Amino acid sequence: MLEIVYAENIIVGVVKGNQFTWYILDKDDLYDVLYDQLDYVAMSNLIEKHKTTVEYLRTCMLKEHYRCADDTLKFNPSVYINFDTMCLFSLYPEYTAFERMVYGNWKGKFFDFMDIIPEEEKYWIVNGKNYIEDTFNYFVKKGIRAEWDVQ
């Protein structure tokens, strides 16, 4: 499985036929998917080897909890692609605007899609605790915004 490296790899949720799946993609792979005009067959062939599970994402996230702010950011889901409704939502924090790369009848939007993820797929929530939000707030309170701020 692909290691998650901030600003190199992104976590993508995909819906097809009402089935939800997580992927850890290299940014270039996502560009390729978008340039293929979000064709599901092309996407499946391209990224199937990067399919992941809630358990894997949760294990990685908990192992790196509170290490540094960038480690928290890399576990934020960045893109949501729904082939059933032909929409792409992006929360990607860097300068890449994936939501502007959609074609044809697709709709793209910079949008906080966290609430539409099925509850059982929210790897960042463990025993009712939202680890992404909790860790982010921890670093904000300490005034640490990025890895280079850590003393």
Side-chain angles (χ1 to χ4, degrees):
M1 216 161 289
L2 192 60
E3 180 185 351
I4 305 168
V5 178
Y6 180 71
E8 291 180 26
N9 309 110
I10 58 175
I11 299 173
V12 178
V14 174
V15 175
K16 174 67 174 167
N18 283 331
Q19 296 292 319
F20 187 92
T21 306
W22 286 114
Y23 295 88
I24 301 170
L25 296 179
D26 181 88
K27 274 194 328 191
D28 292 338
D29 286 342
L30 183 57
Y31 286 132
D32 289 345
V33 168
L34 295 173
Y35 289 136
D36 283 341
Q37 298 183 27
L38 293 166
D39 174 80
Y40 186 72
V41 174
M43 186 197 78
S44 294
N45 293 335
L46 181 67
I47 67 172
E48 192 61 30
K49 63 185 174 210
H50 300 299
K51 188 177 192 177
T52 192
T53 65
V54 169
E55 293 78 19
Y56 178 78
L57 291 168
R58 184 171 287 147
T59 299
C60 293
M61 179 195 68
L62 291 174
K63 186 174 15 171
E64 298 189 29
H65 182 58
Y66 290 140
R67 271 192 26 204
C68 76
D70 285 348
D71 285 340
T72 301
L73 283 175
K74 75 181 181 181
F75 287 105
N76 281 337
S78 295
V79 175
Y80 172 92
I81 301 172
N82 189 319
F83 284 91
D84 298 342
T85 61
M86 297 179 69
C87 69
L88 180 146
F89 298 136
S90 175
L91 270 176
Y92 191 68
E94 298 294 325
Y95 299 109
T96 305
F98 292 115
E99 68 275 9
R100 293 186 184 154
M101 298 174 155
V102 297
Y103 292 87
N105 294 331
W106 278 80
K107 295 173 191 80
K109 185 175 183 179
F110 188 83
F111 176 74
D112 184 351
F113 55 82
M114 303 290 253
D115 289 339
I116 63 174
I117 303 295
E119 289 301 315
E120 65 275 6
E121 297 292 337
K122 293 182 178 180
Y123 58 87
W124 59 91
I125 298 179
V126 182
N127 297 324
K129 181 177 181 177
N130 184 328
Y131 276 77
I132 290 175
E133 186 176 289
D134 181 65
T135 307
F136 179 76
N137 289 336
Y138 169 83
F139 283 107
V140 167
K141 285 178 187 171
K142 290 188 155 291
I144 300 170
R145 294 183 310 276
E147 187 171 65
W148 53 85
D149 290 335
V150 177
Q151 312 261 321

